[in-house]
Amino acid sequence: MNSSLTASQIITSDVSIETAARALEQGLLVAFPTETVYGLGADAANPAAVAAIYAAKGRPQDHPVIVHLAPGAPLTDWAAEIPPEAYQLAAAFWPGPLTMILKRAAHVPSAVSGGQDTIGLRCPAHPVAIALLEQFKGGRGGIAAPSANKFGHVSPTTAQHVRDEFAADASVAMVLDGGASAVGIESTIVDLSRLATHGPVLLRPGHISAAAIAAVIDMLPAAPDQAAPRASGTLESHYAPHTPVAMQETAVLTATIGQLQQRGRKLALVHYSDLPASHAHVRLPAAPEGFAHALYAALRQMDGSGADLILVEAPPQGPDWAGVNDRLRRAAHGSSGIVHGLLNAVAP
Ligand code: TXA
Ligand code: MG
């Protein structure tokens, strides 16, 4: 156990999962592992507990959170006007990294969906998350949980990442430790709330691809349009470390590294090809699953390396890399021109 731990406890045993479920029932916040990223959980039926998540994250009140359900829990507890496609997708991908946006049932507090008339539902695949959901309110509750990071920051994929985000924050009662999240990037979000008029819409790409969804419901999810429900993970700037992030193609990267280092710049590299030595680096697997699994830990590690810039080797394009490219594009948003600026400014 880590000495930086002040407000939270690290818990792994069955007894403790029960304790965590009781804490949630009392309106406290519990961080827990999922197969995508760690979530900061609260009782979705308790508006004060949901408000505490927003306060702890520093997240705007009008951003909806995902409600997590135990395997087999009825969708009708939370959603209305549920199309058959929702049941088909749940049967195919739950427990798993897919979130469905549906019309919100009238009795569900609007706080959980940021005042929108829809609700995001997901049944996660991590055994600790499932045990927690089964113990919480006898398996019939919903745990509202955004990623357990401060608003706009990199999502956590280990319990230690969660502690790094919230150690000083007494509002997080417990952190359940389930090891490193297998998938490593947030769930795919598909909007089915306007299916009749707009078809399925992919609000956030992830491990479950648009093609995999189409194979189940025979309709290819479209890219979001102007009227699509808002999703904070779809803001232009998100998933960002504190150090500026730039992405470059493999072909130009070696030259850029040389030029920047000649000017005394400290570079942190996140890459998958052979590259020259730098101030710090993490080499990730050259396949999308392995890259996604390790990406957020790599960004956090490089953020702590004291570099002037995190330079990421742009992954290949293509559907398998859609989730990773989406997150990297957002992490690098606002840093455009940074490489040019560092090349032209006088070194310190
Ligand atoms: O993998 C995940 O989805 C993780 C784990 C913890 O389950 N959760 C996660 O939550 O990424 P969060 O809050 O960081 O991102 C959830 C996204 C946000 O972009 C939010 O706006 C969107 O889902 N969302 C939730 N409910 C929605 C709704 N009713 N309409 C539109 N977007 C919604
Ligand atoms: Mg998030």
Side-chain angles (χ1 to χ4, degrees):
M1 213 173 281
N2 192 294
S3 58
S4 72
L5 184 62
T6 51
S8 316
Q9 295 171 263
I10 297 298
I11 295 170
T12 47
S13 72
D14 290 350
V15 174
S16 305
I17 291 174
E18 215 178 296
T19 310
R22 298 296 87 79
L24 285 170
E25 287 165 2
Q26 286 161 28
L28 299 176
L29 303 188
V30 172
F32 62 98
T34 84
E35 79 283 25
T36 58
V37 300
Y38 276 65
L40 183 59
D43 180 356
N46 179 341
V50 173
I53 300 180
Y54 286 81
K57 276 184 66 94
R59 182 178 190 160
Q61 296 283 342
D62 63 348
H63 286 231
V65 294
I66 295 170
V67 176
H68 297 71
L69 306 178
L75 296 182
T76 47
D77 283 357
W78 300 93
E81 300 169 40
I82 304 166
E85 286 80 0
Y87 291 104
Q88 292 163 4
L89 289 174
F93 297 118
W94 283 3
L98 179 73
T99 296
M100 297 192 286
I101 308 298
L102 298 167
K103 289 274 183 226
R104 177 165 53 86
H107 64 271
V108 174
S110 70
V112 77
S113 53
Q116 300 190 46
D117 64 354
T118 53
I119 186 134
L121 298 177
R122 169 165 120 79
C123 174
H126 195 291
V128 172
I130 291 177
L132 182 66
L133 284 158
E134 284 177 340
Q135 305 239 6
F136 173 66
K137 293 186 169 177
R140 282 299 285 273
I143 301 179
S147 51
N149 53 277
K150 299 282 183 183
F151 183 66
H153 195 221
V154 181
S155 297
T157 53
T158 67
Q160 183 61 46
H161 294 164
V162 180
R163 283 179 281 166
D164 292 346
E165 295 275 330
F166 295 106
D169 192 332
S171 63
V172 180
M174 295 176 197
V175 181
L176 290 169
D177 189 345
S181 297
V183 173
I185 59 171
E186 303 79 358
S187 60
T188 303
I189 303 180
V190 64
D191 176 25
L192 301 177
S193 69
R194 304 173 305 153
L195 196 65
T197 49
H198 293 71
V201 176
L202 194 73
L203 298 184
R204 182 170 72 183
H207 180 68
I208 294 176
S209 66
I213 291 170
V216 173
I217 61 172
D218 218 20
M219 284 181 275
L220 187 67
D225 57 273
Q226 285 299 317
R230 287 160 296 140
S232 71
T234 60
L235 291 179
E236 277 308 315
S237 172
H238 218 74
Y239 312 116
H242 303 294
T243 313
V245 177
M247 265 207 287
Q248 288 214 329
E249 304 295 328
T250 312
V252 296
L253 206 48
T254 300
T256 304
I257 293 166
Q259 289 165 356
L260 284 171
Q261 296 199 142
Q262 229 170 33
R263 285 165 174 74
R265 299 300 176 181
K266 285 197 214 144
L267 296 184
L269 301 178
V270 175
H271 63 111
Y272 52 91
S273 304
D274 267 328
L275 288 178
S278 57
H279 171 70
H281 83 118
V282 178
R283 186 167 184 169
L284 300 179
E289 291 79 16
F291 193 104
H293 168 72
L295 174 62
Y296 287 156
L299 287 176
R300 281 175 181 268
Q301 192 189 333
M302 293 300 91
D303 206 13
S305 72
D308 303 311
L309 175 68
I310 300 173
L311 200 49
V312 180
E313 179 178 13
Q317 294 299 313
D320 291 355
W321 289 92
V324 157
N325 277 316
D326 171 78
R327 303 313 187 278
L328 282 174
R329 194 169 52 74
R330 295 177 204 286
H333 183 80
S335 309
S336 74
I338 182 91
V339 171
H340 188 76
L342 287 174
L343 282 172
N344 291 307
V346 180

